[in-house]
PDB file of all heavy atoms in Angstrom:
ATOM      1  N   LEU A 129    -223.334-138.689  86.476  1.00 94.00           N
ATOM      2  CA  LEU A 129    -223.023-137.366  87.018  1.00 94.00           C
ATOM      3  C   LEU A 129    -223.877-136.277  86.369  1.00 94.00           C
ATOM      4  O   LEU A 129    -224.218-135.278  87.007  1.00 94.00           O
ATOM      5  CB  LEU A 129    -221.535-137.057  86.817  1.00 94.00           C
ATOM      6  CG  LEU A 129    -220.553-137.800  87.725  1.00 94.00           C
ATOM      7  CD1 LEU A 129    -219.113-137.529  87.280  1.00 94.00           C
ATOM      8  CD2 LEU A 129    -220.735-137.397  89.179  1.00 94.00           C
ATOM      9  N   ASP A 130    -224.212-136.473  85.097  1.00 93.00           N
ATOM     10  CA  ASP A 130    -224.999-135.458  84.378  1.00 93.00           C
ATOM     11  C   ASP A 130    -226.494-135.550  84.653  1.00 93.00           C
ATOM     12  O   ASP A 130    -227.250-134.678  84.195  1.00 93.00           O
ATOM     13  CB  ASP A 130    -224.778-135.601  82.863  1.00 93.00           C
ATOM     14  CG  ASP A 130    -223.422-135.083  82.431  1.00 93.00           C
ATOM     15  OD1 ASP A 130    -222.862-134.237  83.153  1.00 93.00           O
ATOM     16  OD2 ASP A 130    -222.915-135.521  81.384  1.00 93.00           O
ATOM     17  N   SER A 131    -226.925-136.580  85.367  1.00 92.00           N
ATOM     18  CA  SER A 131    -228.356-136.754  85.592  1.00 92.00           C
ATOM     19  C   SER A 131    -228.939-135.551  86.334  1.00 92.00           C
ATOM     20  O   SER A 131    -228.306-134.974  87.220  1.00 92.00           O
ATOM     21  CB  SER A 131    -228.613-138.036  86.402  1.00 92.00           C
ATOM     22  OG  SER A 131    -228.018-137.959  87.680  1.00 92.00           O
ATOM     23  N   HIS A 132    -230.135-135.160  85.935  1.00 93.00           N
ATOM     24  CA  HIS A 132    -230.913-134.057  86.515  1.00 93.00           C
ATOM     25  C   HIS A 132    -230.390-132.671  86.128  1.00 93.00           C
ATOM     26  O   HIS A 132    -231.033-131.674  86.471  1.00 93.00           O
ATOM     27  CB  HIS A 132    -230.983-134.146  88.037  1.00 93.00           C
ATOM     28  CG  HIS A 132    -231.531-135.450  88.547  1.00 93.00           C
ATOM     29  ND1 HIS A 132    -232.666-136.025  88.025  1.00 93.00           N
ATOM     30  CD2 HIS A 132    -231.093-136.301  89.513  1.00 93.00           C
ATOM     31  CE1 HIS A 132    -232.914-137.157  88.657  1.00 93.00           C
ATOM     32  NE2 HIS A 132    -231.983-137.357  89.542  1.00 93.00           N
ATOM     33  N   LEU A 133    -229.245-132.592  85.451  1.00 95.00           N
ATOM     34  CA  LEU A 133    -228.767-131.274  85.040  1.00 95.00           C
ATOM     35  C   LEU A 133    -229.687-130.672  83.972  1.00 95.00           C
ATOM     36  O   LEU A 133    -229.877-129.450  83.927  1.00 95.00           O
ATOM     37  CB  LEU A 133    -227.331-131.361  84.512  1.00 95.00           C
ATOM     38  CG  LEU A 133    -226.229-131.549  85.556  1.00 95.00           C
ATOM     39  CD1 LEU A 133    -224.863-131.510  84.880  1.00 95.00           C
ATOM     40  CD2 LEU A 133    -226.309-130.479  86.644  1.00 95.00           C
ATOM     41  N   ASN A 134    -230.244-131.519  83.122  1.00 95.00           N
ATOM     42  CA  ASN A 134    -231.169-131.012  82.105  1.00 95.00           C
ATOM     43  C   ASN A 134    -232.403-130.386  82.752  1.00 95.00           C
ATOM     44  O   ASN A 134    -232.950-129.399  82.237  1.00 95.00           O
ATOM     45  CB  ASN A 134    -231.593-132.143  81.159  1.00 95.00           C
ATOM     46  CG  ASN A 134    -230.487-132.531  80.193  1.00 95.00           C
ATOM     47  OD1 ASN A 134    -229.594-131.738  79.925  1.00 95.00           O
ATOM     48  ND2 ASN A 134    -230.550-133.739  79.681  1.00 95.00           N
ATOM     49  N   PHE A 135    -232.850-130.970  83.868  1.00 95.00           N
ATOM     50  CA  PHE A 135    -234.004-130.386  84.562  1.00 95.00           C
ATOM     51  C   PHE A 135    -233.662-129.001  85.079  1.00 95.00           C
ATOM     52  O   PHE A 135    -234.467-128.070  84.975  1.00 95.00           O
ATOM     53  CB  PHE A 135    -234.428-131.292  85.715  1.00 95.00           C
ATOM     54  CG  PHE A 135    -235.610-130.777  86.480  1.00 95.00           C
ATOM     55  CD1 PHE A 135    -236.897-131.023  86.050  1.00 95.00           C
ATOM     56  CD2 PHE A 135    -235.426-130.016  87.639  1.00 95.00           C
ATOM     57  CE1 PHE A 135    -237.998-130.528  86.743  1.00 95.00           C
ATOM     58  CE2 PHE A 135    -236.519-129.517  88.346  1.00 95.00           C
ATOM     59  CZ  PHE A 135    -237.808-129.781  87.892  1.00 95.00           C
ATOM     60  N   LEU A 136    -232.459-128.837  85.656  1.00 96.00           N
ATOM     61  CA  LEU A 136    -232.052-127.519  86.147  1.00 96.00           C
ATOM     62  C   LEU A 136    -231.947-126.521  85.005  1.00 96.00           C
ATOM     63  O   LEU A 136    -232.347-125.357  85.145  1.00 96.00           O
ATOM     64  CB  LEU A 136    -230.713-127.628  86.884  1.00 96.00           C
ATOM     65  CG  LEU A 136    -230.706-128.439  88.178  1.00 96.00           C
ATOM     66  CD1 LEU A 136    -229.306-128.466  88.773  1.00 96.00           C
ATOM     67  CD2 LEU A 136    -231.696-127.874  89.187  1.00 96.00           C
ATOM     68  N   ALA A 137    -231.417-126.974  83.864  1.00 96.00           N
ATOM     69  CA  ALA A 137    -231.303-126.080  82.718  1.00 96.00           C
ATOM     70  C   ALA A 137    -232.690-125.671  82.217  1.00 96.00           C
ATOM     71  O   ALA A 137    -232.926-124.493  81.901  1.00 96.00           O
ATOM     72  CB  ALA A 137    -230.519-126.765  81.597  1.00 96.00           C
ATOM     73  N   SER A 138    -233.598-126.621  82.146  1.00 95.00           N
ATOM     74  CA  SER A 138    -234.952-126.312  81.688  1.00 95.00           C
ATOM     75  C   SER A 138    -235.663-125.386  82.667  1.00 95.00           C
ATOM     76  O   SER A 138    -236.373-124.456  82.258  1.00 95.00           O
ATOM     77  CB  SER A 138    -235.754-127.604  81.506  1.00 95.00           C
ATOM     78  OG  SER A 138    -235.165-128.441  80.534  1.00 95.00           O
ATOM     79  N   THR A 139    -235.465-125.640  83.962  1.00 95.00           N
ATOM     80  CA  THR A 139    -236.087-124.775  84.973  1.00 95.00           C
ATOM     81  C   THR A 139    -235.578-123.348  84.846  1.00 95.00           C
ATOM     82  O   THR A 139    -236.354-122.385  84.910  1.00 95.00           O
ATOM     83  CB  THR A 139    -235.788-125.307  86.382  1.00 95.00           C
ATOM     84  OG1 THR A 139    -236.339-126.620  86.517  1.00 95.00           O
ATOM     85  CG2 THR A 139    -236.385-124.406  87.448  1.00 95.00           C
ATOM     86  N   GLY A 140    -234.284-123.210  84.654  1.00 95.00           N
ATOM     87  CA  GLY A 140    -233.710-121.874  84.547  1.00 95.00           C
ATOM     88  C   GLY A 140    -234.164-121.113  83.312  1.00 95.00           C
ATOM     89  O   GLY A 140    -234.288-119.888  83.339  1.00 95.00           O
ATOM     90  N   SER A 141    -234.419-121.827  82.223  1.00 94.00           N
ATOM     91  CA  SER A 141    -234.785-121.144  80.979  1.00 94.00           C
ATOM     92  C   SER A 141    -236.287-120.957  80.813  1.00 94.00           C
ATOM     93  O   SER A 141    -236.731-119.981  80.183  1.00 94.00           O
ATOM     94  CB  SER A 141    -234.238-121.930  79.774  1.00 94.00           C
ATOM     95  OG  SER A 141    -234.775-123.247  79.755  1.00 94.00           O
ATOM     96  N   VAL A 142    -237.091-121.863  81.372  1.00 95.00           N
ATOM     97  CA  VAL A 142    -238.532-121.836  81.115  1.00 95.00           C
ATOM     98  C   VAL A 142    -239.313-121.138  82.223  1.00 95.00           C
ATOM     99  O   VAL A 142    -240.328-120.467  81.957  1.00 95.00           O
ATOM    100  CB  VAL A 142    -239.062-123.277  80.916  1.00 95.00           C
ATOM    101  CG1 VAL A 142    -240.576-123.288  80.789  1.00 95.00           C
ATOM    102  CG2 VAL A 142    -238.420-123.906  79.694  1.00 95.00           C
TER     103      VAL A 142
END
Side-chain angles (χ1 to χ4, degrees):
L129 286 172
D130 285 336
S131 62
H132 304 314
L133 286 184
N134 286 337
F135 180 84
L136 294 179
S138 299
T139 299
S141 60
V142 174

